[in-house]
Amino acid sequence: MNTFSVTVLGSSAAIATPGRGLSSQVLRYGPELFLIDCGEGTQFQLRRFKISVGHINRVFISHLHGDHFFGLIGLLSTWHLLRRVKAVDIYAPPALEDILKMQFEASGTVPNYPIIFHPVTAESPRLILDHPQMEVFSLPLTHRVPTTGFLFREKPLPRRINPESIDFYNVPYHSIEALRHGKDYTDATGRVIPNAELTLPSPASRSYAYCSDTAYNESLVPLIAGSTLLYHEATFMHDRIKSAIEKGHSTSIQAADIAEKAGVKQLLLGHFSARYDDLHPLLNEARGVFERTMLAEDGTTYPIE
Ligand SMILES: [Zn+2]
């Protein structure tokens, strides 16, 4: 099975702190690296945590608040200086395309690699990437500007081979791949052996939901139901629910409530207000609602399994 994990590069809200950078994450699926959000300082965090920048081929930007994209032009310029030739696909709010154009033009830079821009609007959930092994959907979030989260969902995995029945029926090696994809096997005498006798059910598909920034919104629940790992912002503790509502953010209890209602396997809290040095009270509060909660920490990799 492919490695599937997420590394947090920045877990702070709006303002960076000495221990927490601005929003950015690297999602790893097999050999592929996807960058999710790119706050200022992201390229330094990538170097600091020894992530091979050149392997990132796709970038997803949730919204156009500075703490989620001000690092992008820096990273794109660095790729140009490193003589990157491979294309980069960017999935982001439509206005970002002109912003990047203007920034490149003003600095007299013509990137020596193609940038393929995919505008993502926040009105309704949509399939935005159909990758051979994964589907990526946009998730409309509730914030002060149009914002989308992202759901990365592995496509159904092939069935597993049952080695004993393969031996028993003497299935040749070249017929095995078809069995993984559900085909029956016909032997040399013309007898058909049903697939179910030769294989075991496929492992469950894994998924990662990224929900930042957003106010509490229950319409997210059916879209992210059953996710393996949910990253949900928890800018404030619940005593600041008034600020959360005013600013289009969530509290730790609200994030846990969404996780509980969506029946996800694990919850990762992030996008913490710079006012908190110690995040454990926030974690404890969330765990009162949803036990399988973790705190996002810069430089930590969380397996999605
Ligand atoms: Zn933010």
Side-chain angles (χ1 to χ4, degrees):
M1 244 188 343
N2 274 325
T3 314
F4 194 14
S5 66
V6 65
T7 302
V8 172
L9 303 177
S11 59
S12 196
I15 297 168
T17 72
R20 302 200 291 265
L22 297 174
S23 283
S24 187
Q25 304 187 346
V26 170
L27 190 72
R28 183 184 297 273
Y29 187 78
E32 301 241 24
L33 297 185
F34 296 168
L35 187 70
I36 310 171
D37 278 338
C38 190
E40 183 193 344
T42 293
Q43 57 172 326
F44 302 103
Q45 298 289 72
L46 285 164
R47 294 213 179 271
R48 187 173 156 211
F49 303 131
K50 302 192 168 36
I51 293 164
S52 44
V53 199
H55 286 112
I56 297 170
N57 295 328
R58 296 181 197 274
V59 178
F60 298 82
I61 300 292
S62 62
H63 65 297
L64 296 183
H65 278 156
D67 58 326
H68 294 256
F69 88 100
F70 279 178
L72 186 57
I73 190 66
L75 179 60
L76 296 177
S77 302
T78 299
W79 275 332
H80 170 71
L81 296 172
L82 292 173
R83 303 190 195 291
R84 180 186 177 116
V85 287
K86 248 186 317 176
V88 178
D89 286 83
I90 299 178
Y91 304 79
L96 184 59
E97 190 171 13
D98 282 344
I99 295 172
L100 293 176
K101 249 185 218 154
M102 196 193 295
Q103 287 176 310
F104 275 125
E105 268 168 33
S107 67
T109 307
V110 180
N112 42 24
Y113 58 93
I115 295 177
I116 305 161
F117 194 87
H118 307 263
V120 176
T121 53
E123 289 100 51
S124 56
R126 209 163 53 83
L127 177 68
I128 56 169
L129 169 62
D130 191 2
H131 179 273
Q133 290 155 311
M134 178 178 283
E135 289 176 322
V136 184
F137 296 87
S138 60
L139 304 168
L141 300 178
T142 311
H143 198 40
R144 306 192 306 281
V145 293
T147 303
T148 52
F150 303 101
L151 174 69
F152 301 83
R153 197 170 66 195
E154 203 171 32
K155 287 186 177 171
L157 296 165
R159 294 179 66 83
R160 288 172 298 167
I161 296 300
N162 181 343
E164 282 153 31
S165 21
I166 294 295
D167 263 5
F168 181 81
Y169 289 106
N170 259 320
V171 180
Y173 182 74
H174 66 259
S175 302
I176 293 203
E177 196 50 28
L179 297 181
R180 285 189 212 278
H181 294 94
K183 296 271 189 329
D184 296 334
Y185 171 64
T186 310
D187 71 10
T189 69
R191 186 167 143 224
V192 177
I193 322 290
N195 185 279
E197 279 192 40
L198 298 162
T199 62
L200 303 163
S202 11
S205 296
R206 299 162 291 174
S207 56
Y208 177 61
Y210 176 87
C211 298
S212 190
D213 296 356
T214 190
Y216 180 81
N217 180 356
E218 282 188 11
S219 58
L220 259 180
V221 170
L223 304 177
I224 59 170
S227 295
T228 314
L229 180 63
L230 165 65
Y231 174 85
H232 196 292
E233 72 130 287
T235 307
F236 299 111
M237 285 193 65
H238 206 65
D239 60 342
R240 296 200 170 259
I241 186 159
K242 209 164 150 265
S243 304
I245 293 169
E246 276 167 18
K247 295 175 177 164
H249 286 303
S250 298
T251 70
S252 48
I253 286 189
Q254 289 179 317
D257 198 38
I258 293 288
E260 173 69 22
K261 290 192 165 102
V264 303
K265 199 161 164 194
Q266 283 193 296
L267 168 66
L268 183 60
L269 298 178
H271 199 267
F272 307 117
S273 161
R275 70 170 49 249
Y276 304 115
D277 284 329
D278 179 13
L279 296 170
H280 285 91
L282 221 127
L283 177 65
N284 293 336
E285 207 174 58
R287 281 191 174 159
V289 177
F290 186 78
E291 177 56 36
R292 300 179 303 280
T293 303
M294 303 175 286
L295 291 173
E297 205 181 304
D298 293 21
T300 299
T301 297
Y302 302 84
I304 301 166
E305 53 198 30

